[in-house]
Amino acid sequence: MATRACCAPITGTPLSAPEAEQLAALLKAIAEPTRLRLLSLVAAHEGGEACVCDLTDPVGLSQPTVSHHLKVLVDAGLLQREKRGVWAYYRLVPDRLSQISQALSVSSR
């Protein structure tokens, strides 16, 4: 009787160590319920853009707290920020969101 290997061979391309570190940092930025809601709220606004003033009430947090969460998302490259007068407007960065999807997709690896 032939001996069978205990593990299946790797047939795809696994993440490299640097890719895994970058993806982990990105996932850490969105691994917080308020930040996920903020991304969803921005995406749901007409044109995929929302003013910070439109985001405070739906999440039930103060403007400084919402701004902190938005800054984390901007720093992670998930949102772009544009200052218009006294308000800041946020827009999704689709390519960055696609990176998450592609990295976690079984068929693309």
Side-chain angles (χ1 to χ4, degrees):
M1 183 147 135
T3 309
R4 189 172 168 172
C6 67
C7 301
I10 294 176
T11 59
T13 306
L15 291 172
S16 68
E19 289 171 329
E21 287 181 28
Q22 290 174 357
L23 182 59
L26 183 59
L27 292 174
K28 183 178 178 182
I30 62 172
E32 202 284 328
T34 298
R35 293 185 199 135
L36 282 174
R37 290 204 57 220
L38 289 169
L39 284 174
S40 175
L41 285 164
V42 171
H45 273 79
E46 186 176 336
E49 177 182 79
C51 175
V52 68
C53 63
D54 296 324
L55 301 172
T56 54
D57 284 343
V59 294
L61 297 171
S62 69
Q63 187 272 325
T65 301
V66 170
S67 291
H68 164 75
H69 286 298
L70 291 168
K71 181 183 182 321
V72 171
L73 295 170
V74 168
D75 290 347
L78 293 161
L79 292 176
Q80 292 176 331
R81 180 182 183 269
E82 181 183 332
K83 186 93 163 145
R84 297 182 198 157
V86 297
W87 295 109
Y89 288 79
Y90 295 86
R91 176 177 293 282
L92 294 172
V93 179
D95 289 344
R96 194 70 164 139
L97 295 170
S98 293
Q99 287 177 337
I100 297 171
S101 176
Q102 289 172 356
L104 300 177
S105 174
V106 174
S107 62
S108 71
R109 303 295 314 156

